[in-house]
Amino acid sequence: LNHNADRISAVDAETFLASAEHELKAHLPRTEEFWHRLTQQLLPVAATPKAQYLLQRMYLVVKRFAEVFRLRTPWISAVPQVAIAASEDTPHTGKKIASIADLMKAIANPMQSWDGKSVSCLCALLLTNLTMNVSLTKLHHITLGGGAGNATSNGESADPVKQHHKLLESSAKEWPALLSLLHWFISHSADNSGEVVEAKGFIVQLVLWCVHSVSLRFGATAAEVYLWLSALSAETAPVLLHLLNNMLQQSLSKAADRVAEALLQSEHGVLYASAIPFIARIREKAEDKEKVTHAKDAGLWQQDLQQHIDAFEKVAKKVAKRYSSAAEEYHTAIEV
């Protein structure tokens, strides 16, 4: 009898929830209305304080919609786009862009002026996707082509100003949103105010779920991710994105099961176990004289990777030394 009563209760509850969901959809504005206002009206002015206030609430509204109605729409379009900076001292002088860190300074990125609350709200929205296994590869995807070498084609090599402008334009088209968040984390490393600490915690969780999404098995921890983020610099942050993309390739390969098992057995965490062979492979490619000869054709991202792989190895070694105290450091720095 109790078993039948439980079944009846479950059916009643399911019917009630379906009815409630139907009523909510009938009386609430459609998600598309919020989305149009968000992407078409607010994001273009995302750097202004008033827009930030409205964006925070819009992100939370869309997040609630996603949770209540179990929406699986990718929310990557909620991230503000970077653009070529309008100031006269960056895109039009022809100054040499030698790294992605240089490029970061030469583009207009609304997110860099955001307060902690805005960053937290954006991360919370994106996390609704990742925790529901909705693919957000664009968060960390890097387009390797279209770099400095390609900027000299079609007879444009004579004008360094045009080269510079074209480099900025091509690199800003598909800027990985996660890199903007990593730079925000790094630039606020010394700020321990409440909202900033909360935002750092959300960035850690977002990176953690990115690691989960590119791994065959969930083995990484928030404490491990925090160690990596706290050890990164503006120069080494792009290399972490290369590592995530490499992990994704590994998880789709024929050796995926073997790789996943090796990552779980690592004494210094999943990211460290992935980073060491990755660093070795990048060095092998750099030692190939033919590939080095054509390195310019690989674009700025590839050149930047080769340029900062040694510094990234130092980050990995620093993480390994601190790994035994990872949980303590994380809980001390980020109030969970």
Side-chain angles (χ1 to χ4, degrees):
L1 289 173
N2 288 336
H3 179 68
N4 289 334
D6 289 342
R7 285 185 60 188
I8 293 171
S9 297
V11 170
D12 288 344
E14 190 174 322
T15 302
F16 171 78
L17 290 174
S19 177
E21 183 174 320
H22 176 77
E23 289 297 318
L24 282 172
K25 286 183 176 179
H27 291 89
L28 289 174
R30 296 173 60 197
T31 315
E32 290 79 5
E33 293 181 35
F34 289 106
W35 199 240
H36 176 79
R37 288 184 178 275
L38 173 64
T39 57
Q40 303 301 317
Q41 298 177 14
L42 291 177
L43 286 184
V45 291
T48 64
K50 185 176 181 180
Q52 284 187 55
Y53 177 83
L54 294 172
L55 274 170
Q56 291 169 18
R57 278 136 190 84
M58 198 67 76
Y59 285 150
L60 291 176
V61 166
V62 177
K63 176 178 178 290
R64 292 300 182 214
F65 263 88
E67 291 171 340
V68 171
F69 300 119
R70 301 176 296 282
L71 303 178
R72 296 184 57 81
T73 306
W75 305 121
I76 191 67
S77 299
V79 180
Q81 298 297 306
V82 303
I84 298 176
S87 59
E88 294 182 358
D89 60 343
T90 45
H92 305 296
T93 59
K95 282 174 61 176
K96 182 176 175 59
I97 297 295
S99 67
I100 298 301
D102 289 343
L103 184 59
M104 191 72 179
K105 298 173 186 176
I107 57 178
N109 189 345
M111 208 182 297
Q112 290 309 300
S113 64
W114 278 12
D115 57 23
K117 194 67 176 176
S118 299
V119 172
S120 295
C121 291
L122 173 61
C123 289
L125 175 59
L126 297 175
L127 279 166
T128 61
N129 275 161
L130 293 173
T131 54
M132 292 175 65
N133 295 321
V134 176
S135 176
L136 284 184
T137 309
K138 284 187 176 181
L139 261 179
H140 50 80
H141 176 72
I142 292 172
T143 303
L144 293 177
N150 292 333
T152 61
S153 61
N154 300 323
E156 296 179 12
S157 59
D159 192 338
V161 177
K162 285 186 177 180
Q163 286 181 38
H164 179 77
H165 188 82
K166 186 172 181 178
L167 172 62
L168 290 174
E169 196 173 47
S170 63
S171 299
K173 279 182 179 178
E174 294 188 36
W175 187 263
L178 190 60
L179 185 56
S180 295
L181 289 166
L182 293 180
H183 272 275
W184 194 96
F185 187 104
I186 293 164
S187 63
H188 290 78
S189 58
D191 190 340
N192 295 315
S193 59
E195 285 191 358
V196 170
V197 170
E198 182 183 25
K200 289 178 185 176
F202 269 106
I203 294 173
V204 168
Q205 288 297 321
L206 188 66
V207 175
L208 173 63
W209 277 93
C210 283
V211 175
H212 288 337
S213 71
V214 298
S215 306
L216 199 61
R217 299 172 194 167
F218 291 4
T221 64
E224 170 191 353
V225 169
Y226 171 75
L227 278 189
W228 277 89
L229 299 196
S230 61
L232 290 175
S233 65
E235 289 71 29
T236 54
V239 186
L240 181 64
L241 270 65
H242 285 284
L243 176 60
L244 289 175
N245 293 323
N246 181 260
M247 290 175 68
L248 178 59
Q249 292 176 8
Q250 292 285 322
S251 70
L252 298 174
S253 69
K254 292 180 179 179
D257 288 320
R258 178 175 53 79
V259 170
E261 190 63 31
L263 295 183
L264 292 176
Q265 293 178 359
S266 171
E267 61 177 323
H268 299 305
V270 169
L271 284 171
Y272 180 85
S274 301
I276 298 307
F278 170 71
I279 291 168
R281 279 195 296 274
I282 297 303
R283 287 214 174 106
E284 286 175 9
K285 290 180 180 179
E287 290 170 2
D288 187 325
K289 293 182 180 180
E290 183 179 350
K291 287 182 179 177
V292 170
T293 302
H294 297 290
K296 289 184 179 180
D297 294 329
L300 182 62
W301 287 96
Q302 192 67 40
Q303 292 179 54
D304 183 85
L305 173 60
Q306 294 176 357
Q307 185 180 351
H308 294 106
I309 198 66
D310 290 343
F312 191 71
E313 183 180 37
K314 291 178 181 178
V315 170
K317 288 180 178 179
K318 187 183 294 186
V319 168
K321 287 180 180 178
R322 293 165 52 192
Y323 192 76
S324 60
S325 62
E328 182 182 349
E329 288 192 40
Y330 173 62
H331 285 283
T332 300
I334 309 293
E335 295 182 6
V336 181

